[in-house]
Structure formats: C-alpha cells, structure tokens
Amino acid sequence: MITPESAHKTMRRWVEDVIIGLNLCPWAKPVYERGGLHFTVSDVASPERVIVIFLQELELLLITPGRESTLLALPNWIISFELFNDVVGMLEDELERMQLASNIQVVPFHPGFVFADTSPESKGNWVNRSPFPIIHFLQVEDVQQATQGNIALAEGLSLRNDRLLSGMREASLRRLFPYLF
C-alpha cells in the first residue's frame, strides 16, 4: 500500500519531471509556480467513493481563492484503464447533472492510458500515463485564458508531444516513466 505522503511526493515529482520538465503541457508551469495547482491524495477504491471525493475537491476548487486546478491521486486503486475511464465518464455525467460541464474540465491520467483510436503502444499515450490513477480537474475559463493567443500551439501539442516521446532514448524514458517498465 502506498502511503499518502509517498503518493504526494511521487505525483509532485511526476508533474515537475514529466509534465513540466518535458513541457508536455506548456500551461502547467505558470500555474504550478503560482501555487494554483492543488495536490490531493485519497485511498478510496470504489467508483462511488471516488465520486464523493471528487465532489468534495470540486467544491474546494470552486471556493478557494488561488486554486486553479486539482490533481486527485488514487494510488491504491488498482483498476484497469477501461474501468477508470468509465468512472471518469461518471464524473463528467455528474458535472452535467450539476450544470458545471461547461465550467469544469476533467483530464484522466492512468498507467495504462490509451487515447481513442490510438494503438496502445503509441508513445503519444504516455502524455497521460501516470504512476497511478490521477484525475485532474480544472476550470475551463483558466484553460481558455491560458490558450488564448496560442491556438496553433494548442492544436499542434498532441503531435509535438508524440514526436518528442517517440524520439526519446529508452534510458531517458526509463528514468522518467519507471512505472511503465
């Protein structure tokens, strides 16, 4: 069992080394440096409990000044990507029910993440592969502000990240993504 402290440290290192370090999301660094990225860890292991924790953290995201987005780590939830993706769909349904779907974006991360219509072996999937299941939720308004004036970058980011990861040496990949080997 992964302790909350260990999970928090691992998640922070993943954000710093992979997401920011490789510039996979150019908008992450400013949010991180401003202290707007909130890290939280939960030991829940059922879809129902994940929804409860998500809703609690969502409320905090909406009412806490300076909190721009939240990463909710579920380090001890051993679940297939397919089932995890179903739970993410349930979270999105909950946002629809609450009439928040146009305000909150949910981004899933999972060790087995596979983009739709993509081969599981594609390095492009590694952009959303994390040490354990993580749900990132952020305010759409912040995303729109971050991408304003950078439409070309936003549209080409997936291809850029795929090329970057595909061109990396195995030793570098093993160092940055040890949980995938």
Side-chain angles (χ1 to χ4, degrees):
M1 182 168 213
I2 301 171
T3 67
E5 296 79 17
S6 176
H8 188 273
K9 183 178 177 182
T10 298
M11 181 170 43
R12 185 173 290 276
R13 187 173 50 242
W14 169 72
V15 167
E16 291 171 352
D17 294 349
V18 176
I19 304 301
I20 293 173
L22 295 177
N23 202 28
L24 297 178
C25 176
W27 305 282
K29 185 176 181 179
V31 172
Y32 181 78
E33 289 178 342
R34 279 193 303 272
L37 179 58
H38 177 70
F39 296 86
T40 190
V41 176
S42 177
D43 63 357
V44 300
S46 73
E48 298 78 21
R49 291 293 303 146
V50 169
I51 292 170
V52 169
I53 296 297
F54 171 79
L55 293 175
Q56 290 170 349
E57 288 296 329
L58 176 61
E59 182 178 358
L60 291 171
L61 174 66
L62 295 172
I63 67 170
T64 305
R67 188 175 292 188
E68 298 176 54
S69 68
T70 297
L71 286 172
L72 170 59
L74 307 161
N76 295 308
W77 195 21
I78 308 305
I79 184 172
S80 71
F81 172 66
E82 292 77 15
L83 291 175
F84 178 69
N85 209 34
D86 290 345
V87 173
V88 170
M90 293 166 65
L91 299 177
E92 291 170 337
D93 291 345
E94 193 67 23
L95 290 172
E96 287 283 345
R97 188 189 65 73
M98 298 170 66
Q99 299 181 350
L100 287 173
S102 61
N103 302 83
I104 302 295
Q105 180 178 353
V106 177
V107 181
F109 295 93
H110 186 278
F113 188 96
V114 178
F115 284 105
D117 302 322
T118 304
S119 164
E121 292 78 32
S122 171
K123 291 288 190 299
N125 294 316
W126 290 32
V127 170
N128 285 60
R129 290 195 177 167
S130 56
F132 33 73
I134 296 174
I135 300 167
H136 184 202
F137 41 106
L138 52 157
Q139 299 185 53
V140 171
E141 182 180 318
D142 292 336
V143 175
Q144 291 169 338
Q145 287 177 359
T147 57
Q148 197 170 28
N150 291 317
I151 300 302
L153 175 61
E155 291 174 350
L157 195 57
S158 179
L159 180 59
R160 176 222 169 260
N161 287 341
D162 188 26
R163 287 180 179 158
L164 171 73
L165 293 166
S166 294
M168 291 180 72
R169 294 175 182 240
E170 186 173 334
S172 296
L173 291 170
R174 284 182 181 277
R175 182 181 57 79
L176 291 168
F177 300 93
Y179 47 88
L180 298 179
F181 290 91

